[in-house]
Amino acid sequence: MSWDYIKRLRDQTKMKMVLKGIMTGGCQAPAEAGIDGIIVSNHGGRSEDGGGSTIEALPEIIQVAGSMRS
């Protein structure tokens, strides 16, 4: 899945779109693709024992999301 694919999906529907699995401050990309919201999630951490937790990812995401407000 790519951001171009997400943009094409966005162009096909007027429904709200939310992406799950955002874990970095690169959350500008969903906004640029027209996504209505994000869910900060590591999908339960089932696939990697060494992955970061959701709570550890929040400060960076909040900082980036806050800077995007107009």
Side-chain angles (χ1 to χ4, degrees), residues 2-63:
S2 68
W3 290 112
D4 288 333
Y5 178 76
I6 299 294
K7 288 177 187 177
R8 285 196 310 262
L9 284 177
R10 172 77 281 165
D11 292 341
Q12 297 298 313
T13 183
K14 295 190 185 314
M15 294 187 306
K16 298 283 185 187
M17 289 182 68
V18 177
L19 290 182
K20 179 181 177 188
I22 304 299
M23 286 292 292
T24 69
C27 59
Q28 307 95 315
E32 292 167 0
I35 298 302
D36 298 294
I38 62 171
I39 299 172
V40 179
S41 172
N42 65 0
H43 300 292
R46 289 184 290 270
S47 62
E48 329 181 334
D49 290 335
S53 70
T54 301
I55 197 74
E56 293 171 333
L58 280 177
E60 180 184 356
I61 292 171
I62 290 169
Q63 181 178 11

